[in-house]
Amino acid sequence: MTQTLPTRPADTAAAARGAWRAAAILAIILTGQFMAVLDASIVNVAIPSIRSGLGTSGSALQLIVAGYVIAYAVLLVTGARLGDRFTQRRAFIAGLALFTVASLACGLAWNAVSLIVFRFIQGAGAAAMIPQVMTLIQRDFSGQARAKALSVYSAIISGGVVVGQVLGGLIVDADLFGSGWRGVFLVNVPVGAVLLVLAPHVLPSDGPRFDRKLDLAGLTVLTVSVLLLVVPLVLGGEQDWPRWTWIALGASVFGAVAFVLVERHVARRGGAPLFAREALRAPGLLLTAATLLVVMATFGGWMFVMAIHLQNTLGYTALHAGLVFVPMGPPSPSRA
């Protein structure tokens, strides 16, 4: 027979402290994740209010919505490498700080150009913050705790878009202190400030560092190429396709070729290109990426047009328009 030793109070207290610390870590990083996902959609139902408040053109509205996503997508790989070089804790806090300050700036924007610039900066903050979330979950959680953390993470990713539509409509209609559309950005500021106070004391300070080189040349060429493609596509129709738009579109093709050449050069010199050739050769990757590109491009455009149609054409309030998108939310566990 084996004798079962009683659990010592010190062991129980240590286990309780560990559980609380794990819960605090998860709450901080997933709240940051939620804010980043939210800001990809919360602006959508505020578009008509932004247009009337700032007197913006349709193309400027598109850049206000898309600028955040473009900056996030272009800088995402670089953000992950910053976490490897300087630890996920520092990268998360730095990204959170940039995201929070940019949110405040968006809420105080005085014209369309300033709002577009601040949205790009906000996306850059999200790109530095978000890659660290999954790494911290994988590194600091195990077993059942990791499974639960990943479940919450998945729910935030899938449900954040819908929550953003509803919350954005609620904030615009509430018009707290006369903030109107500015509230969809300012709501991030107090939440981000609280996280910035807590994160240095809660997030683990230790962690492995890897000498992941930053592909600054590739990042520069990619950024320029994307802007040469997106900006004329957004502004061209409204300006009746002037000559500069066609020049920019043609230059974007050369930019894409230059990016491929730069990435090959970086790889030959033993660097770490943004897109490694080995990764691109993975079975089904290119088809999956192309499918996601088509889906996200059409889905984002549909949401943009619907938000304007529901409010300007059908006369819905911002909250009513946001509630229309609720059926797009993830199914409940009982229906999954």
Side-chain angles (χ1 to χ4, degrees), residues 6-241:
T7 303
R8 293 181 299 175
D11 295 337
T12 303
R17 286 195 299 270
W20 277 106
R21 182 174 178 80
I25 292 173
L26 193 63
I28 288 174
I29 61 177
L30 290 186
T31 301
Q33 174 81 51
F34 181 71
M35 286 199 303
V37 174
L38 199 71
D39 262 66
S41 62
I42 194 172
V43 182
N44 208 51
V45 293
I47 289 172
S49 298
I50 294 175
R51 185 168 197 168
S52 60
L54 294 180
T56 59
S57 62
S59 56
L61 289 174
Q62 294 178 58
L63 289 175
I64 290 170
V65 175
Y68 175 85
V69 180
I70 292 171
Y72 172 77
V74 170
L75 297 172
L76 187 61
V77 175
T78 301
R81 292 182 181 176
L82 289 175
D84 289 337
R85 288 177 64 91
F86 303 107
T87 74
Q88 281 71 38
R89 176 179 181 269
R90 290 180 179 178
F92 181 89
I93 293 174
L96 175 63
L98 183 60
F99 180 88
T100 303
V101 172
S103 296
L104 176 61
C106 287
L108 301 177
W110 54 93
N111 57 27
V113 174
S114 62
L115 184 53
I116 291 170
V117 172
F118 295 144
R119 281 286 281 173
F120 272 93
I121 298 174
Q122 193 183 37
M129 175 174 57
I130 296 311
Q132 322 314 327
V133 175
M134 180 60 74
T135 302
L136 288 169
I137 291 176
Q138 294 289 351
R139 194 187 73 194
D140 297 315
F141 294 83
S142 60
Q144 190 64 26
R146 179 186 293 176
K148 291 181 179 179
L150 291 175
S151 296
V152 180
Y153 175 87
S154 300
I156 287 175
I157 294 294
S158 60
V161 174
V162 176
V163 174
Q165 301 282 348
V166 177
L167 182 59
L170 183 63
I171 291 173
V172 172
D173 281 358
D175 193 23
L176 296 176
F177 307 107
S179 59
W181 61 266
R182 298 178 186 273
V184 302
F185 301 109
L186 296 176
V187 70
N188 293 322
V189 177
V191 179
V194 171
L195 293 182
L196 286 171
V197 172
L198 297 177
H201 303 286
V202 175
L203 297 184
S205 57
D206 57 339
R209 295 190 184 186
F210 304 96
D211 187 19
R212 299 293 301 278
K213 299 178 181 179
L214 301 179
D215 182 11
L216 298 180
L219 178 61
T220 301
V221 175
L222 177 63
T223 301
V224 173
S225 301
V226 170
L227 291 177
L228 286 172
L229 175 65
V230 172
V231 172
L233 287 178
V234 172
L235 302 181
E238 197 167 80
Q239 298 184 11
D240 198 23
W241 299 102

